[in-house]
């Protein structure tokens, strides 16, 4: 690992090790020149390959033939922002530091700046950091209405950082936190760095889109049901370590009671319901399109169900509002019953009333007739009894 260049009186040493530290003496005749070699070694855990939210460990070791100096260490991330490490162990020979939790944007070249006054040391040591993970926001919410089409997408940065080493992952779904988890698909990276996906679940009707950006995991729900809502979690695995990203699918549905056209003078109840959970500042709103302020009704914050009683036909809309922004809307058209239907209903009502009146009168007449027959039968029975008594008296005489 060394070579002497006699022409320039130089000693070249390659691939320095900590054990190479010490005092080197050059002798030329009666002349002697001493040079002290101080060696620094910077090591990073996992060979610089991390998943997001992992905390790297940085170890700086120094060796010298003389007393070891107290080093001042300053770190700069890939965006040239200063990072203050958490010092776990400090001796004059070894410094062990924990960095911050990594995000995908932290990928790149970091710099460790080392300084000492005596002996004078001022060195910048660069090292590479690759962070494999998702570019989605934490706990993303996706909104859909019943029977609509929705695509859930997780964007990986493996192509961006040219991550060629193998990793695997899977996509799971469950309706509630405590519910059973269903594995929808699993995936791995090929030798060419391409993602390969395999469908695992047949209980949920979903598709894996063929055309999509590189390093993207997608599932397509072509016709969303209300019970398709819940938490979809995509999980990465690399060398026994895990990272995950969640998407909360919130589904909205609307129903009417009674269903069908709204008759003049009648009422109808419209119900808007979302699967939740909602953000703290989210609420539901019913309103009639081109209506008045009287046609607007808001729910309480985080309420997942809102009912409104209406007597006016038209286009009614239910909105899910979060932070003053309409995240999703469901439009429900309430038809007004035709005029002839109204006449039929009115005629049926009048006819029903007349029929009830006639039946009532018939019952009264029948009751009176029955009472009269009863009284007449009673009088005839009394007359027969009286006649029988008179005959008995004549026979005794």
């Amino acid at each position: 690992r060394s070579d002497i260049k006699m022409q320039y009186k130089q000693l070249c040493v390659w691939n320095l090790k900590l054990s190479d530290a010490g005092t080197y003496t050059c002798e030329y005749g009666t002349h002697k020149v001493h040079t002290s070699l101080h060696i620094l070694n910077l090591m990073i855990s996992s060979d610089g390959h991390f998943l997001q939210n992992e905390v790297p460990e940085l170890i700086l070791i120094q060796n010298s033939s003389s007393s070891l100096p107290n080093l001042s260490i300053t770190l700069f991330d890939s965006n040239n922002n200063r990072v203050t490490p958490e010092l776990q162990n400090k001796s004059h020979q070894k410094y062990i530091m924990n960095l911050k939790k990594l995000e995908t944007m932290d990928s790149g070249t970091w710099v460790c700046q080392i300084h000492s006054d005596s002996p004078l040391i001022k060195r910048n040591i660069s090292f590479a950091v690759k962070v494999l993970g998702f570019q989605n926001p934490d706990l993303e919410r996706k909104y859909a209405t019943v029977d609509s089409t929705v695509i859930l997408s997780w964007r990986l940065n493996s192509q961006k950082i040219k991550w060629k080493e193998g990793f695997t992952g899977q996509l799971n779904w469950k309706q509630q936190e405590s519910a059973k988890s269903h594995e929808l698909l699993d995936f791995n990276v090929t030798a060419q760095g391409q993602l390969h996906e395999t469908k695992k679940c047949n209980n949920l009707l979903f598709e894996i889109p063929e055309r999509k950006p590189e390093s993207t995991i997608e599932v397509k729900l072509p016709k969303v049901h209300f019970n398709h809502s819940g938490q979809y979690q995509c999980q990465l695995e690399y060398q026994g370590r895990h990272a995950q990203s969640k998407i909360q699918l919130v589904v909205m549905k609307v129903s009417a009671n009674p269903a069908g056209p709204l008759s003049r003078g009648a009422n109808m109840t419209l119900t808007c319901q979302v699967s939740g959970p909602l953000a703290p500042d989210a609420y539901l709103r019913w309103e009639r399109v081109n209506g008045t302020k009287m046609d607007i009704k808001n729910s309480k914050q985080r309420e997942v169900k809102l009912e409104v009683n209406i007597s006016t036909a038209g286009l009614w809309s239910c909105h899910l509002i979060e932070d003053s922004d309409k995240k999703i809307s469901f439009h429900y058209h309430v038809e007004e019953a035709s005029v002839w239907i109204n006449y039929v209903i009115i005629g049926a009502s009048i006819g029903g009333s007349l029929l009830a009146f006639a039946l009532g009168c018939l019952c009264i007449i029948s009751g009176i007739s029955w009472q009269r027959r009863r009284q007449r039968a009673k009088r005839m029975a009394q007359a027969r009894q009286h006649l029988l008594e008179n005959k008995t008296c004549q026979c005794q005489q």
Side-chain angles (χ1 to χ4, degrees), residues 183-302:
E183 184 179 355
L184 301 186
L185 60 89
D186 59 15
F187 57 90
N188 60 352
V189 63
T190 64
Q192 294 75 27
Q194 303 296 321
L195 285 173
H196 176 70
E197 300 162 326
T198 304
K199 191 173 181 179
K200 302 290 288 186
C201 177
N202 294 321
N203 296 331
L204 182 66
L205 298 177
F206 71 96
E207 302 171 4
I208 302 177
E210 295 182 0
R211 296 182 180 180
K212 53 189 171 184
E214 295 291 340
S215 300
T216 301
I217 307 297
E218 284 186 352
V219 294
K220 178 181 178 182
L221 304 176
K223 195 171 184 180
V224 177
H225 298 167
F226 193 73
N227 58 1
H228 288 166
S229 61
Q231 190 179 94
Y232 294 77
Q233 176 177 286
C234 192
Q235 179 174 281
L236 288 176
E237 181 176 351
Y238 178 70
Q239 294 184 350
R241 293 128 57 195
H242 299 84
Q244 55 272 335
S245 176
K246 300 177 183 178
I247 295 180
Q248 186 75 35
L249 178 61
V250 179
V251 181
M252 174 186 286
K253 68 177 181 179
V254 168
S255 60
N257 185 25
L262 179 63
S263 302
R264 186 176 301 174
N267 291 326
M268 177 184 290
T269 300
L270 298 179
T271 303
C272 179
Q273 186 175 355
V274 292
S275 56
L278 302 178
D281 57 348
Y283 62 95
L284 297 173
R285 170 182 290 175
W286 268 116
E287 65 178 4
R288 185 167 65 93
V289 179
N290 298 326
T292 64
K293 292 183 178 180
M294 300 296 294
D295 297 323
I296 297 177
K297 184 178 180 180
N298 294 331
S299 70
K300 297 179 181 179
Q301 289 187 345
R302 305 195 76 170

Side-chain angles (χ1 to χ4, degrees), residues 13-72:
V13 182
W14 296 278
N15 299 324
L16 287 173
K17 301 177 180 179
L18 284 171
S19 58
D20 293 329
T23 301
Y24 290 77
T25 303
C26 178
E27 296 183 2
Y28 186 75
T30 59
H31 299 281
K32 293 184 179 181
V33 178
H34 303 284
T35 299
S36 178
L37 179 60
H38 190 115
I39 295 183
L40 300 166
N41 184 24
L42 183 66
M43 297 180 294
I44 186 170
S45 59
S46 301
D47 196 28
H49 289 75
F50 303 97
L51 298 179
Q52 64 184 122
N53 294 325
E54 288 189 324
V55 179
E57 184 181 70
L58 205 63
I59 301 176
L60 178 65
I61 303 176
Q62 63 174 337
N63 193 14
S64 176
S65 58
S66 58
S67 60
L68 298 175
N70 186 19
L71 300 178
S72 173

Side-chain angles (χ1 to χ4, degrees), residues 296-312:
I296 297 177
K297 184 178 180 180
N298 294 331
S299 70
K300 297 179 181 179
Q301 289 187 345
R302 305 195 76 170
E303 239 179 10
V304 297
K305 187 176 182 180
L306 179 63
E307 294 183 347
V308 60
N309 294 319
I310 66 170
S311 57
T312 305

